[in-house]
Each structure stands twice: as structure tokens, then as C-alpha cells.
């Protein structure tokens, strides 16, 4: 079963490398389980170097089923329970999927490939989101889904790690030679930086635009179905909205003119008032992905690598941390995501 791998001691100290969403959840669950946890992060507390800083923060396992393998849905549904348990203030207002009349074929296809939704007619949609009154003839409402604001929720997770007895060291970049000298369990959550040991990783660029307006009010993320430029609009605090959904096979940084035009045009298609919004920020992050776009927990004795979360980082991180902890505590293996050396 372990293919030569030796089960780590269940009371071992734990060093987690990378304080983004994957590492933060690993550190939190291990600290709560009584381990002596140290979380190392190469950047400062602003986390500007972390992919998580540029994420959308959508907790949408039902919607993701349209283009993902079943394992994403399975882990994502479990993760929703963990988000509710650890951060009960997490907004679970659901999410909406809409489309204009010319894109009905793609809209119906999305409905067929997903579950956990109910169809709203135009009056029901307007009652749920008054700003969308008269904009769409119907919508899919995924009531169980949620969303978080990454730049606000990561500090909360870090606070909970410290409250559980863990230690966080910012500006602490552990190189291979340093890791070899660490006793106990090392959990590597470095994302693309782990290509020194996992060369098959690639970066998939996700771009975002942050805009500000008080002319539109939304209580939940809205996905606009479109064959060329699908979009999601995610409400954030202080009249801010994040526009996203690009997934580009490139490892450059920044937002291209083409992407900016498409994202802003799609936002206008959701609501014309977005045309008068103020652009606050452009940005992009590189999501770590394996060739099959599925996550992996690679185990080699007391060295564990958690990576390849692709575009599902905030959705999957809690469930992957729970799997890692279960392996350390009792040797439980999830064959869909774990590999033992």
C-alpha cells in the first residue's frame, strides 16, 4: 500500500512551506490536531508573491463540474463543510449563472453538465438580485455555493493558525538544503516554486480586474456564459467587484489588452452600469497545474508535497489538508489524489 513509504509519526513536528491557501489550511488543521507547526512564507504578510493574492475565492463545486473531473466535486463538497466549520462567517449566498438569448445553447449545456441548481425565471432572479432586473430571462441558482475574498480570508486563517499554537515565519524561504535538515514532517505547498522537485508543473495564468461602483449591488458571484469570453463577477466589500475567468496557457505576468477588453466587455454585458465603474487594479497570478489539471499529494516518508490545485485552490485546499492529516494520523490513503514513493 505504501510502496516503500514509511508512515510519519503522528506526533511529529510539522513544517509547512508556503502560506498561501494550500499551506495555510495544512498548517491550521495540523496545529489544531496538536502538532508543533511552523509555517514558512517567502514573502511578507501582504502575500504579494502568492498566487492566492490574485485568486477569485469562489467556493463553487457544483459549477466547476461543468469542466472538471468528478474528484473536484467530491473534494469541493467536503471543503464547503470545512469552510463553514472553521470560518462560519463565510458567505454562502449561492452563485448565479446567466446568459443572453444568443448563448442559450451553451447555457443549456451548462445546466445539463451540472447539478445542485434550480432554475429561476426573470421575476425570481430580480427578487434575488434586484440589480439584474430585466437583464436576463432566467438563471441557474446554485444555492449551496459560496465565496471568500482571498486578501481578507488569508489573514484570518493565519490568525487561527497562531491561535491554535502554530508559528508563522514570513520572509522565510527554505531552500532544499535547509529542508533536508528539518526534523519531523515537511509539507511543501510552494506552488510553481516547487518545480525544482516537481518539474511537470506548469503555470496557467489567471487575470483579474478590480473595479469599483455603487451603481450595481450583488450579493453573490454571477457567471456569464459565453462561448468566447465566459466571465464571473464577484462582489467584494466597499463597492468593489472582481472580474475574472481567464485561463491562459502562458507564464508571463500582467493583463493583456485583449483580456482586459473581453473582461470589461463581458461585465458591461452583465450590467451597463459597469461601464461607469472605476478601474482599481489589474493583476494576474500563475496557478500551479499538473498535465491532467488535478491536485496531487505526493508522499515520500516524512516529506509531503501538496500541489497542482490549478484554478481550484480556495475550493480544494481544506479537503486536501484533511486528507494529509488523515494520512499522518492513521495512514489513510485517497487513491485519487495521493501518490506514495
Amino acid at each position: 500500500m505504501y510502496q516503500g513509504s514509511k508512515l510519519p509519526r503522528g506526533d511529529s513536528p510539522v513544517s509547512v512551506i508556503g502560506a498561501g491557501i494550500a499551506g495555510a489550511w495544512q498548517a491550521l488543521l495540523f496545529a489544531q490536531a496538536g502538532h508543533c507547526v511552523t509555517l514558512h512564507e517567502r514573502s511578507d504578510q501582504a502575500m504579494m508573491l502568492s498566487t492566492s493574492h490574485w485568486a477569485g475565492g469562489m467556493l463553487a463545486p457544483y459549477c466547476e463540474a461543468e469542466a472538471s473531473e468528478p474528484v473536484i466535486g467530491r473534494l469541493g463538497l467536503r471543503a464547503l463543510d470545512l469552510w463553514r466549520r472553521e470560518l462560519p462567517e463565510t458567505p454562502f449566498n449561492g452563485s448565479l449563472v446567466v446568459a443572453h438569448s444568443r448563448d442559450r445553447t451553451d447555457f443549456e449545456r451548462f445546466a445539463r453538465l451540472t447539478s445542485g441548481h434550480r432554475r429561476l425565471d426573470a421575476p425570481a432572479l430580480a427578487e434575488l438580485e434586484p440589480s439584474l432586473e430585466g437583464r436576463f430571462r432566467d438563471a441557474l441558482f446554485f444555492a449551496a455555493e459560496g465565496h471568500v475574498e482571498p486578501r481578507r480570508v488569508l489573514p484570518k486563517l493565519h490568525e487561527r493558525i497562531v491561535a491554535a499554537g502554530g508559528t508563522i515565519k514570513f520572509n522565510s524561504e527554505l531552500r532544499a538544503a535547509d529542508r533536508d535538515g528539518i526534523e519531523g514532517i515537511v509539507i511543501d505547498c510552494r506552488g510553481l516554486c516547487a518545480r525544482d522537485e516537481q518539474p511537470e508543473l506548469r503555470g496557467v495564468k489567471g487575470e483579474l480586474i478590480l473595479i469599483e461602483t455603487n451603481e450595481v449591488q450583488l450579493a453573490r458571484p454571477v457567471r456569464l456564459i459565453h462561448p468566447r469570453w465566459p466571465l464571473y463577477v464577484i462582489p467584494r466589500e466597499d463597492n468593489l467587484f472582481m472580474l475574472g475567468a481567464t485561463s491562459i496557457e502562458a507564464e508571463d505576468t500582467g493583463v493583456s489588452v485583449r483580456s482586459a477588453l473581453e473582461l470589461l466587455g463581458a461585465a458591461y454585458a452583465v450590467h451597463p452600469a459597469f461601464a461607469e465603474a472605476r478601474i482599481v487594479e489589474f493583476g494576474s497570478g500563475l496557478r500551479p497545474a499538473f498535465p491532467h489539471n488535478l491536485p496531487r499529494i505526493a508522499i515520500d516518508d516524512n516529506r509531503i508535497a501538496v500541489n497542482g490545485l490549478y484554478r481550484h485552490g480556495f475550493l480544494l485546499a481544506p479537503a486536501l489538508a484533511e486528507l494529509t492529516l488523515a494520512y499522518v494520523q492513521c495512514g489513510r490513503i485517497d487513491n485519487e489524489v495521493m501518490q506514495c514513493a
Side-chain angles (χ1 to χ4, degrees):
M1 183 177 184
Y2 302 112
Q3 301 177 351
S5 181
K6 181 174 61 180
L7 188 67
R9 285 174 52 91
D11 58 353
S12 298
V14 175
S15 296
V16 181
I17 309 173
I21 193 62
W25 271 98
Q26 296 283 336
L28 176 59
L29 295 195
F30 273 90
Q32 290 178 339
H35 289 263
C36 178
V37 172
T38 304
L39 177 59
H40 298 268
E41 169 55 41
R42 63 182 176 130
S43 63
D44 59 21
Q45 286 178 278
M47 298 290 293
M48 293 287 290
L49 298 180
S50 172
T51 300
S52 298
H53 183 79
W54 307 102
M58 296 177 69
L59 309 178
Y62 294 104
C63 283
E64 290 301 317
E66 181 263 342
S68 299
E69 297 293 328
V71 64
I72 302 300
R74 174 174 68 85
L75 295 176
L77 288 174
R78 174 55 188 155
L80 297 189
D81 294 334
L82 295 170
W83 277 107
R84 291 187 181 97
R85 186 187 80 188
E86 298 298 333
L87 291 172
E89 69 275 19
T90 299
F92 280 95
N93 300 326
S95 58
L96 285 169
V97 175
V98 297
H100 290 294
S101 297
R102 63 182 178 272
D103 300 315
R104 293 301 302 178
T105 299
D106 294 294
F107 179 82
E108 295 299 339
R109 176 184 176 276
F110 194 99
R112 288 194 306 271
L113 293 176
T114 57
S115 61
H117 58 75
R118 61 185 174 93
R119 195 175 294 249
L120 305 179
D121 60 15
L125 174 59
E127 183 178 358
L128 193 67
E129 291 287 6
S131 286
L132 299 182
E133 183 176 6
R135 299 295 307 153
F136 304 95
R137 77 184 217 190
D138 60 0
L140 302 176
F141 179 42
F142 295 80
E145 296 187 335
H147 68 286
V148 295
E149 186 170 339
R151 299 177 191 181
R152 293 180 183 270
V153 81
L154 269 177
K156 291 180 181 179
L157 289 172
H158 293 162
E159 290 173 3
R160 290 184 62 80
I161 292 165
V162 174
T167 300
I168 304 178
K169 294 185 177 181
F170 291 99
N171 299 307
S172 175
E173 186 168 5
L174 290 183
R175 304 190 184 278
D178 301 322
R179 298 195 296 273
D180 290 341
I182 296 177
E183 294 185 2
I185 301 166
V186 176
I187 304 177
D188 185 345
C189 299
R190 291 179 294 147
L192 275 184
C193 291
R195 281 195 289 199
D196 56 348
E197 297 180 2
Q198 295 178 297
E200 68 271 42
L201 283 167
R202 76 187 195 283
V204 180
K205 184 167 73 167
E207 300 158 311
L208 69 83
I209 302 177
L210 200 62
I211 61 175
E212 178 186 17
T213 180
N214 59 8
E215 297 298 317
V216 180
Q217 305 293 325
L218 295 175
R220 54 193 53 80
V222 176
R223 295 184 185 228
L224 176 67
I225 301 298
H226 187 278
R228 189 165 57 87
W229 30 259
L231 166 92
Y232 49 69
V233 180
I234 306 176
R236 293 187 171 176
E237 295 185 12
D238 304 320
N239 297 320
L240 295 175
F241 296 86
M242 178 193 156
L243 313 179
T246 63
S247 190
I248 301 172
E249 292 290 339
E251 295 194 10
D252 62 292
T253 58
V255 178
S256 69
V257 171
R258 176 179 178 178
S259 293
L261 290 172
E262 291 182 345
L263 289 173
L264 292 171
Y268 179 81
V270 171
H271 199 295
F274 281 127
E276 304 303 321
R278 182 174 70 92
I279 296 175
V280 176
E281 181 179 356
F282 290 95
S284 67
L286 293 178
R287 306 154 173 149
F290 290 114
H292 52 24
N293 293 336
L294 296 176
R296 179 187 303 165
I297 300 174
I299 301 165
D300 187 0
D301 293 336
N302 63 347
R303 298 300 188 255
I304 301 172
V306 180
N307 217 319
L309 277 67
Y310 185 43
R311 57 195 295 268
H312 307 118
F314 278 77
L315 175 62
L316 298 185
L320 294 176
E322 186 177 59
L323 291 179
T324 307
L325 180 62
Y327 167 74
V328 170
Q329 288 183 325
C330 58
R332 188 180 306 150
I333 294 287
D334 187 306
N335 290 319
E336 286 195 278
V337 295
M338 286 181 162
Q339 292 184 358
C340 296

